Amino acid sequence: MSSLNLKSNIIWTILSKALILALNLAVVVMTTQLWGADGRGAVAIFVADLSIVSIFANVFTGSSVSYFFSRIGTSKLATAAYIWSFVTAAAGGVAVRCSGQTATAPLLFAAAALSGLLAFHNSLFVGGQKISHYNLVTVMQPALLLAGMFLLHRLAPGIGYYCYFFAQIASIGIILLVCRRLRRNMGVRLRWDFDRACNRQMLSFGWKTELSSLLQFFNYRLAYYLLGYFACRASVGVFSIGVMAAEAIWIVSRSMSMVQFSNVLRQGDTPQSRKETLSLSWISLGVSAACVAVLSLLPSSFYAFVFGPEFGEVGRVICWLAPGILAIAFSNVIGNYFSAIRDLNILIVKSAVGLVFTVALSFWLIPKWQITGACVVNSVSYVMSSLVLILHYVLRAPKP
């Protein structure tokens, strides 16, 4: 990929992520204004549960699909991905039902199964260098979710925040039809092709990446569950809005990371790819710092006006999270670089280090300081895991 094409893909990806951010913000505002902090907390827990299932599904639907796209037949990749998506979705539904959430268990199963199929197609587009397809699909999802929520609320307001769950399932289903058309335009036709050797290769690649993601998930979201236990679901709602606003800053680093991941898959571990990775990391940090400053300076009355009177302390949440947000903004690009060159052990190590700090601090600070304690825990975890990645990148750099 030429430097011009790389920059073009990054710019268009950032623009698409910015649009996604705006649409997701509209979704969040709608949930908070309609159902308050308690309803937003219920949605946040559902999304967190769905994320856990998706991490397990991504062993066969995530980066392993992108990596093996040009190495293994797509039908073999698809067969493994489709089977595993339904297996993990069923396991997730059973786990949620056993936890006492009987009403949401079948909804989680449906959302998780469809999300797995969507993740496969997104990974296929990235592996095939079809970044425009990826951007289109990722923009469509929050747009359709927002439209579905609005329609369901108008038609059946009595179901409350369940509008979100049903709209989520419907939006993914519609997008999968679009993915099918885009995939066929790429000349990719899928058929049943179960291959044990292919499955072993995908598992060998995917489990390391997703183990890192699972550990990192608990770095990001363990506070949700502990806040719900030690405080209340409304606290989860307020904290989740602060986290959402702060993590929105990562659209820059995630856009750069995704494009650079696709680029490094093609050109390998070269001096040029290393130079681009470091340069993009610094750009990401600079832009993210400016965004953090803006969000931190907004008055509490602004957040109360946008999200509702219960959410005035969102700005304080962002301030406490700021050091960790900036650390991740810098290290995201580096982490995807290591994933592309199959240096996967370091991703597990950095996530494990972050999780150690998360667990060690959570049971001390969250019961004591509640939302503020959760912010401190996440921020420390973000910084420590990022330092592991940065240090490894510096130490493995070729000596002049």
Side-chain angles (χ1 to χ4, degrees):
M1 182 183 294
S2 68
S3 176
L4 181 61
N5 286 337
L6 176 63
K7 292 178 180 178
S8 176
N9 278 332
I10 288 174
I11 290 172
W12 282 110
T13 302
I14 290 176
L15 290 175
S16 71
K17 294 294 186 184
L19 180 55
I20 291 169
L21 171 61
L23 293 167
N24 281 332
L25 178 61
V27 170
V28 169
V29 170
M30 185 173 178
T31 59
T32 57
Q33 292 286 356
L34 289 177
W35 308 308
D38 184 72
R40 178 60 204 175
V43 170
I45 293 297
F46 180 86
V47 172
D49 291 340
L50 179 60
S51 297
I52 294 177
V53 179
S54 296
I55 288 170
F56 284 101
N58 279 349
V59 171
F60 284 92
T61 66
S63 57
S64 57
V65 175
S66 299
Y67 184 82
F68 290 112
F69 174 80
S70 60
R71 298 170 172 83
I72 297 176
T74 51
S75 290
K76 294 178 181 179
L77 299 175
T79 301
Y82 278 46
I83 293 174
W84 189 241
S85 293
F86 282 97
V87 169
T88 53
V94 170
V96 167
R97 183 178 179 84
C98 291
S99 71
Q101 304 175 59
T102 55
T104 58
L107 299 176
L108 180 72
F109 166 75
L114 294 175
S115 293
L117 304 186
L118 179 58
F120 165 78
H121 283 88
N122 280 335
S123 300
L124 200 69
F125 297 150
V126 172
Q129 302 278 303
K130 297 295 184 180
I131 305 301
S132 60
H133 292 3
Y134 172 88
N135 289 336
L136 173 63
V137 169
T138 52
V139 167
M140 286 183 64
Q141 185 171 3
L144 290 174
L145 173 59
L146 181 63
M149 286 174 57
F150 177 80
L151 181 62
L152 285 172
H153 178 70
R154 292 296 298 271
L155 295 176
I159 65 175
Y161 55 76
Y162 277 77
C163 288
Y164 179 94
F165 307 151
F166 291 123
Q168 176 86 304
I169 294 168
S171 65
I172 299 174
I174 294 171
I175 293 170
L176 283 172
L177 297 177
V178 176
C179 287
R180 183 174 182 272
R181 179 62 179 270
L182 293 174
R183 172 171 51 79
R184 287 180 173 272
N185 289 343
M186 292 172 59
V188 176
R189 300 290 190 274
L190 301 180
R191 57 182 177 83
W192 178 267
D193 191 357
F194 187 84
D195 186 276
R196 293 180 184 274
C198 167
N199 296 347
R200 285 194 295 269
Q201 291 182 70
M202 294 180 72
L203 177 63
S204 177
F205 183 93
W207 80 264
K208 291 184 178 180
T209 302
E210 299 312 320
L211 175 58
S212 169
S213 297
L214 181 63
L215 296 175
Q216 196 69 358
F217 169 84
F218 286 112
N219 291 336
Y220 293 170
R221 297 292 181 263
L222 180 62
Y224 282 22
Y225 297 101
L226 294 181
L227 267 178
Y229 180 78
F230 289 115
C232 61
R233 199 164 64 180
S235 295
V236 179
V238 174
F239 179 68
S240 72
I241 296 300
V243 171
M244 181 279 302
E247 291 180 353
I249 297 166
W250 291 342
I251 65 169
V252 175
S253 65
R254 284 172 172 166
S255 299
M256 293 179 174
S257 299
M258 190 274 296
V259 176
Q260 181 66 351
F261 174 78
S262 180
N263 189 42
V264 175
L265 282 179
R266 185 191 61 82
Q267 68 183 35
D269 184 14
T270 64
Q272 179 65 22
S273 66
R274 290 192 292 271
K275 180 181 177 181
E276 289 172 349
T277 297
L278 190 57
S279 175
L280 292 175
S281 295
W282 282 111
I283 293 172
S284 171
L285 178 62
V287 175
S288 300
C291 295
V292 167
V294 171
L295 291 178
S296 299
L297 292 174
L298 292 173
S300 59
S301 57
F302 170 82
Y303 292 104
F305 172 76
V306 173
F307 299 110
E310 298 173 280
F311 296 91
E313 61 179 317
V314 165
R316 185 169 63 88
V317 172
I318 295 171
C319 289
W320 281 107
L321 289 171
I325 293 296
L326 295 180
I328 295 291
F330 184 87
S331 66
N332 259 343
V333 183
I334 295 174
N336 276 272
Y337 165 79
F338 286 135
S339 180
I341 65 172
R342 295 200 70 173
D343 190 355
L344 303 178
N345 289 334
I346 188 59
L347 301 180
I348 298 174
V349 172
K350 67 95 178 176
S351 297
V353 168
L355 186 58
V356 167
F357 281 91
T358 296
V359 174
L361 296 176
S362 288
F363 291 93
W364 171 40
L365 295 180
I366 292 178
K368 184 177 181 180
W369 293 341
Q370 296 190 357
I371 292 177
T372 300
C375 293
V376 173
V377 169
N378 277 27
S379 199
V380 170
S381 174
Y382 295 170
V383 170
M384 299 310 299
S385 60
S386 295
L387 286 176
V388 172
L389 274 183
I390 295 168
L391 181 61
H392 183 67
Y393 183 85
V394 171
L395 291 178
R396 76 179 299 278
K399 299 298 184 291

